[in-house]
């Protein structure tokens, strides 16, 4: 009986952990066709390219900003310039935006892989 309860408790804890995972986590296909991985980093999220010309390069960091929105920085891997960034999650699509002075912005639409 005790063994059954222990196994049931362990299964519940594992399922609760999986259910609480942030929906932005995972692999995303960028507009250029590269795969970007978004991983948890102590309350924030790091963005690292996992394919393409800049494989392995960290290109951003985001923090939750409420209701499927994220705020942080994003780096253009081609020229290493870093911009203020915003991300908006909508199902399996992620609108990733980089801005200069919050006036000049460029948006890419990433697809979950």
């Amino acid at each position: 009986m005790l063994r059954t309860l222990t196994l049931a408790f362990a299964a519940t804890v594992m399922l609760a952990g999986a259910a609480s995972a942030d929906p932005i986590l995972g692999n995303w296909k960028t507009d250029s066709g590269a795969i970007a991985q978004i991983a948890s980093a102590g309350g924030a999220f790091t963005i690292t390219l996992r394919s393409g010309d800049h494989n392995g390069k960290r290109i951003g960091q985001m923090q939750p900003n409420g209701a499927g929105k994220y705020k942080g920085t994003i780096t253009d891997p081609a020229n290493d310039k870093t911009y203020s960034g915003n991300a908006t999650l909508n199902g399996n699509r992620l609108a990733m935006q980089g801005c200069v002075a919050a006036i000049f912005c460029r948006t890419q639409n990433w697809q979950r892989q």
Side-chain angles (χ1 to χ4, degrees):
M1 177 75 169
L2 183 60
R3 181 175 181 224
T4 303
L5 288 173
T6 303
L7 289 173
F9 176 74
T12 301
V13 169
M14 288 188 327
L15 289 174
S20 67
D22 197 284
I24 197 173
L25 295 174
N27 293 323
W28 298 86
K29 187 173 185 179
T30 68
D31 281 356
S32 69
I35 301 299
Q37 179 186 46
I38 300 179
S40 181
F45 302 97
T46 58
I47 306 166
T48 306
L49 291 175
R50 293 297 178 205
S51 70
D53 293 338
H54 305 285
N55 186 18
K57 191 174 223 179
R58 185 171 154 191
I59 61 164
Q61 184 166 336
M62 294 282 165
Q63 300 219 359
N65 200 25
K69 298 194 183 291
Y70 302 83
K71 192 170 192 78
T73 59
I74 192 78
T75 301
D76 183 337
N79 62 19
D80 288 328
K81 290 186 179 182
T82 300
Y83 305 95
S84 62
N86 298 297
T88 303
L89 184 64
N90 186 5
N92 287 326
R93 297 197 183 275
L94 183 65
M96 185 66 69
Q97 184 179 65
C99 298
V100 175
I103 298 172
F104 302 103
C105 298
R106 184 173 146 218
T107 302
Q108 284 193 3
N109 294 296
W110 296 3
Q111 179 70 40
R112 184 181 299 280
Q113 291 298 291

